Amino acid sequence: MSLQGQSKAAAAGGVCERLLVVASGPVRLALSAPIFEGMLPRWKAGTRDVVTVRGITYRVTPLAGRWDGTPSPTTPKTLLLLCGYRGQHRGFTVDHVLGLTEVAPRRIQSLPPHFACEERTWFNGFFLFRDTIALWVNPDWLFAPGKGTDAAENFEDTTPGLTEDLCLTEDIIELEIIDAERAE
Amino acid sequence: MLRGQSKETAKRVTNWSLMVFSIGGQRLAARIEEAGGVRPWTDPMPVPSHTPFMNALLRHDEEVLPVYDLAARLKQQVRGTPPLCLIVKREDGPMAVCIDASIPTLKTIDPQALQPSAEPDPDILGYCEIEGERVPLYSLAKLGMPTTTHAV
């Protein structure tokens, strides 16, 4: 099963959200499948903050950096997720991928009202995933310019000079997740 | 006073039942009706958050509770292994608070004996004397809510 381009899957009782669940430190996050464009080991992308894959330039940041979290140290297992949303492209490093899951809408809950600040806009909700909980990331927030880095994050994909950075064409991992599961 | 009740019975009815627990060895009290129970603590899943001290979700089977880090607010470290999970009946829904491993005790107090809080902490209803110690009585129903004012 290929992940790219698929967002929803029909299931008995409704349309399921197709989500990629990743680990960033102790946090489990779910990304909508349509924003996912590929994945490669971080070490293959080098240490640069910008990577070009198949002609698309991605600015790379740790996923934990989106919420001022402390990123995990980069290890040989660290993965780079290549994401695209509404014409923007970003790369996010994560510790590992836990799997692809299809979640029925009735299994997705809103954050409890106790969470009263901007985190309510960071996540579309959460759901039970295996023996833990996964937070469904709002792509609008994920791709929004970060504090103090707006200029760097708002570059055009065709910015001159960026093409001199690491350019990968063959090594991208086509995500064929066999550990797919359906949480209903 | 209802007919047939003695004065002593009527007075007892007005008393408050408290649960006394500790965080970092510091004793705290709360009205028993604002506590939903105590169970062993399990590892929560951190939730990135800007809400003060609200930073995790705790799963217990199919139930998920937000976690309020009262220990961090009190600048204490929870003691004992494993710690306990106090279920708090907050007005807007239940939440979990990690407390010391020592088993909470029950006490009854006369609310008239409550001493007013000297500090401007909206979550403290007052102080009560328990075994010679001045123990803060917390309002769990409003614990950590953005704006709370209480009168003793």
Side-chain angles (χ1 to χ4, degrees):
Chain A
M1 178 173 57
S2 175
L3 185 63
Q4 275 180 297
Q6 296 183 8
S7 61
K8 294 173 170 23
V15 177
C16 290
E17 290 291 340
R18 185 160 291 168
L19 302 165
L20 181 71
V21 183
V22 302
S24 178
V27 186
R28 304 291 180 259
L29 297 153
L31 306 178
S32 299
I35 72 170
F36 182 80
E37 296 181 338
M39 175 172 66
L40 67 162
R42 183 66 176 105
W43 62 267
K44 278 196 175 181
T47 57
R48 293 181 178 233
D49 292 337
V50 174
V51 58
T52 301
V53 179
R54 291 179 176 168
I56 298 174
T57 301
Y58 299 85
R59 186 178 190 279
V60 178
T61 53
L63 189 53
R66 290 301 293 135
W67 61 86
D68 305 326
T70 305
S72 304
T74 301
T75 72
K77 292 183 178 177
T78 302
L79 290 171
L80 172 58
L81 301 183
L82 305 173
C83 301
Y85 181 65
R86 293 183 177 172
Q88 298 180 73
H89 297 279
R90 298 281 303 272
F92 299 101
T93 55
V94 299
D95 295 347
H96 57 274
V97 171
L98 295 169
L100 173 66
T101 186
E102 291 171 347
V103 185
R106 60 186 170 80
R107 297 295 304 266
I108 298 172
Q109 305 174 53
S110 299
L111 277 184
H114 308 68
F115 292 92
C117 294
E118 54 264 57
E119 63 271 10
R120 299 201 69 79
T121 65
W122 300 352
F123 308 111
N124 291 332
F126 70 91
F127 56 95
L128 305 183
F129 179 75
R130 298 180 186 164
D131 61 347
T132 185
I133 297 161
L135 297 163
W136 180 15
V137 176
N138 177 0
D140 289 326
W141 167 71
L142 186 65
F143 281 79
K147 290 176 186 171
T149 55
D150 296 17
E153 292 176 358
N154 283 338
F155 66 85
E156 297 291 329
D157 289 348
T158 54
T159 302
L162 291 179
T163 50
E164 294 175 10
D165 289 307
L166 178 66
C167 184
L168 299 169
T169 55
E170 301 298 332
D171 294 336
I172 188 169
I173 298 171
E174 293 288 351
L175 190 66
E176 298 282 340
I177 293 184
I178 57 173
D179 188 22
E181 56 185 55
R182 177 164 291 175
E184 293 183 64
Chain B
M1 187 175 68
L2 294 175
R3 196 178 297 172
Q5 284 183 322
S6 66
K7 285 183 180 176
E8 189 181 338
T9 306
K11 187 177 178 183
R12 198 182 306 132
V13 169
T14 61
N15 282 350
W16 287 2
S17 294
L18 305 184
M19 189 179 77
V20 182
F21 56 100
S22 63
I23 294 178
Q26 177 184 328
R27 292 216 285 184
L28 303 91
R31 296 189 69 175
I32 196 76
E33 60 264 34
E34 293 181 347
V38 175
R39 61 189 181 209
W41 182 256
T42 52
D43 286 338
M45 212 258 324
V47 173
S49 166
H50 283 175
T51 305
F53 308 112
M54 195 67 68
N55 51 24
L57 289 172
L58 186 70
R59 179 176 174 182
H60 191 258
D61 295 330
E62 298 293 301
E63 182 189 27
V64 176
L65 293 175
V67 176
Y68 186 76
D69 194 350
L70 185 55
R73 177 174 152 184
L74 298 173
K75 299 183 173 62
Q76 298 282 346
Q77 294 275 347
V78 172
R79 294 182 187 173
T81 306
L84 295 174
C85 174
L86 170 63
I87 309 298
V88 168
K89 290 183 184 173
R90 209 169 86 161
E91 281 181 351
D92 53 356
M95 64 182 189
V97 172
C98 188
I99 64 174
D100 288 355
S102 53
I103 303 295
T105 57
L106 299 178
K107 299 286 178 190
T108 303
I109 65 154
D110 179 351
Q112 301 297 325
L114 270 182
Q115 302 158 20
S117 175
E119 301 136 29
D121 188 334
D123 289 336
I124 297 179
L125 293 170
Y127 286 83
C128 47
E129 192 86 8
I130 296 175
E131 296 166 0
E133 187 181 342
R134 195 165 177 263
V135 176
L137 174 59
Y138 275 79
S139 167
L140 298 183
K142 295 182 182 296
L143 182 65
M145 294 186 82
T147 54
T148 49
T149 52
H150 301 291
V152 175

